[in-house]
Amino acid sequence: MKTLLAALLAATALLPLPTAAKAAPARADLLIRHATLVDVEHGRLVPDQAVATRGDQIVAVGNDATIAAAWRAGKNVEAKGRYLIPGLWDMHVHFGGGPELIEENKALLPLYIANGITTVRDASGDLPYDVLRWRGEIADGRLFGPTLLSSGPKIEGIKPVWKGTLETGSQADVDQAIARLKELNVNFVKITDSTLKPELFLYAVRQARAAGLRASGHIPMALTVGQAIDAGISSIEHIDYAHKAGVKDEARITADFAAGKIDRAQASAQLDAGFDEATAMAAYRDMAARGVFVTPTLSISRTVAYLDQNDHSADPELAYIGPRLRKTYDWRIERAAKATPDQIAQRHAIYEHNAAVLPLLQQAGVTIWPAPMRASSTASTIPASPCTRNWRSMSIAA
């Protein structure tokens, strides 16, 4: 997927820029001058750039002198010594913790903007209807926060581990769940597998696609990744499923688990030990060809894996997180503190071998950021903090 910056530059190249000799300068609403653009696609800084916006569209990006000669704006922002980046997307978020934490979750929304995250993809927690309400309030300007994309309530089996679900035990239940999600106008469908039967998982994926919805989720251990892809899954949450697709004996291990010959721990151990790069690259090229996305979620995985080395208890950002919301993570911190040296080493190893999959996915052409909706070039302004000005599709930081 092209970065916003690359897309903007490509789009702008198609627009003839007027010059003083040929025509009067074009009109824009906002002109950002002398910024250093952060090109996240190529890992470089591009100095002395300007961006012109009109309404909610970015209409020109380029060298400051060229843009300034071609455009005039009612408002000018001097960005010399500051950086302009594409708005960041957080592609896997769960709002949750129960009804008593609704307000603490809601208070997170402006924090995303303050950190340059202009779009959030909610992959379903236990407050799905509240999130859908926030999505609408943000879209029509009644609530301050990032653009929200949401799956609404996830599809699960009967009496699942995860809360905030549409419970399904039959094909009729799945049909009803898909119809409900269509009514809610969700951006994609999230399907998890704590109690969902494998055959219903595949049915749910197929029915979601038939209804014109993208399907995402956790693939049951009793299914291969290829079976989920054949059913029409659009995006795979968490990179460990991509690791599973690269195991040479995945089909045999999956079949043994489904038949009850091995338990989940044994299946996981065999999958961890069976990764084969040639098998993986063939699987990843197939994913890329079929347009299947992968959401790695490596950031939180690394944080948890290395709690033995990094103490976050004094992070200043914690002051902005509600106390009851912070408490929901206590069990992770306590478990990490009680881990044995062998358990710590295993945590590190699992993270490292999953992280090693990422460059292979990139090499195969798999889209790493799933995109349930096309990235917008919106650039409407929102209130600025003392140190940072943020736009829907871009951020300027000192």
Side-chain angles (χ1 to χ4, degrees):
M1 174 175 149
K2 290 185 177 179
T3 65
L4 176 61
L5 178 59
L8 293 177
L9 292 174
T12 304
L14 300 176
L15 299 174
L17 293 178
T19 65
K22 293 181 180 179
R27 296 298 301 178
D29 296 328
L30 174 68
L31 196 60
I32 304 171
R33 302 282 310 275
H34 305 110
T36 297
L37 288 186
V38 181
D39 182 347
V40 295
E41 183 174 16
H42 300 100
R44 61 176 183 164
L45 299 177
V46 186
D48 201 31
Q49 298 292 291
V51 174
T53 72
R54 184 191 298 132
D56 63 357
Q57 296 293 312
I58 296 172
V59 292
V61 181
N63 175 266
D64 182 83
T66 302
I67 299 299
W71 296 87
R72 293 291 182 270
K75 182 178 181 181
N76 288 266
V77 174
E78 177 54 61
K80 188 174 183 179
R82 308 181 85 179
Y83 297 87
L84 181 65
I85 67 171
L88 303 176
W89 288 36
D90 192 331
M91 299 305 292
H92 190 103
V93 169
H94 299 292
F95 295 95
E100 66 277 8
L101 293 182
I102 290 174
E103 291 305 314
E104 289 192 8
N105 276 272
K106 188 176 180 180
L108 297 175
L109 297 174
L111 295 180
Y112 285 106
I113 298 296
N115 285 279
I117 297 170
T118 58
T119 300
V120 165
R121 179 174 175 266
D122 165 57
S124 189
D126 60 7
L127 301 173
Y129 301 103
D130 297 283
V131 175
L132 289 172
R133 186 176 68 255
W134 299 338
R135 180 187 66 171
E137 291 174 354
I138 290 170
D140 64 21
R142 289 180 291 140
L143 181 63
F144 179 67
T147 297
L148 275 178
L149 309 176
S150 179
S151 67
K154 65 180 75 66
I155 293 178
E156 251 289 2
I158 304 299
K159 296 181 179 179
V161 171
W162 309 114
K163 307 303 180 185
T165 65
L166 299 173
E167 297 187 16
T168 62
S170 66
Q171 290 187 358
D173 289 344
V174 171
D175 292 341
Q176 187 175 7
I178 296 295
R180 175 61 175 148
L181 293 172
K182 284 283 286 185
E183 289 176 358
L184 292 170
N185 193 29
V186 298
N187 300 105
F188 64 104
V189 175
K190 176 75 177 290
I191 310 169
T192 52
D193 65 330
S194 73
T195 61
L196 185 64
K197 299 172 185 176
E199 62 272 20
L200 282 183
F201 178 93
L202 295 176
Y203 181 78
V205 171
R206 288 193 294 266
Q207 292 303 101
R209 295 307 298 268
L213 296 167
R214 292 182 179 271
S216 176
H218 301 173
I219 300 170
M221 181 69 83
L223 298 173
T224 66
V225 175
Q227 285 175 295
I229 292 174
D230 288 341
I233 199 165
S234 300
S235 57
I236 298 169
E237 307 302 312
H238 314 299
I239 205 167
D240 48 342
Y241 293 106
H243 182 278
K244 183 174 185 282
V247 174
K248 194 170 186 177
D249 291 332
E250 182 200 11
R252 190 266 306 163
I253 296 168
T254 295
D256 285 351
F257 175 80
K261 295 179 181 179
I262 56 176
D263 61 22
R264 182 172 293 273
Q266 291 169 318
S268 295
Q270 291 181 32
L271 290 169
D272 288 343
F275 188 82
D276 174 72
E277 187 169 326
T279 299
M281 289 304 295
Y284 301 160
R285 291 189 186 101
D286 182 59
M287 286 184 192
R290 300 206 211 184
V292 177
F293 305 126
V294 174
T295 311
T297 64
L298 281 171
S299 179
I300 184 62
S301 297
R302 191 189 189 289
T303 298
V304 173
Y306 288 91
L307 282 173
D308 56 297
Q309 296 180 10
N310 303 307
D311 180 7
H312 298 279
S313 61
D315 286 359
E317 291 86 356
L318 290 174
Y320 301 99
I321 309 296
R324 289 178 296 181
L325 196 55
R326 292 201 305 269
K327 194 169 181 59
T328 63
Y329 272 76
D330 283 353
W331 68 272
R332 294 177 182 270
I333 298 168
E334 292 167 1
R335 183 180 64 179
K338 295 176 181 178
T340 66
D342 285 347
Q343 290 170 330
I344 291 172
Q346 184 181 34
R347 278 205 321 258
H348 293 181
I350 290 173
Y351 169 78
E352 295 297 340
H353 78 224
N354 280 335
V357 169
L358 190 59
L360 300 180
L361 289 167
Q362 293 172 314
Q363 182 181 338
V366 175
T367 299
I368 303 301
W369 288 355
M373 291 178 62
R374 188 175 179 181
S376 168
S377 61
T378 303
S380 54
T381 59
I382 55 180
S385 70
C387 62
T388 306
R389 295 180 184 268
N390 296 285
W391 280 262
R392 290 288 187 200
S393 65
M394 55 189 175
S395 300
I396 295 182

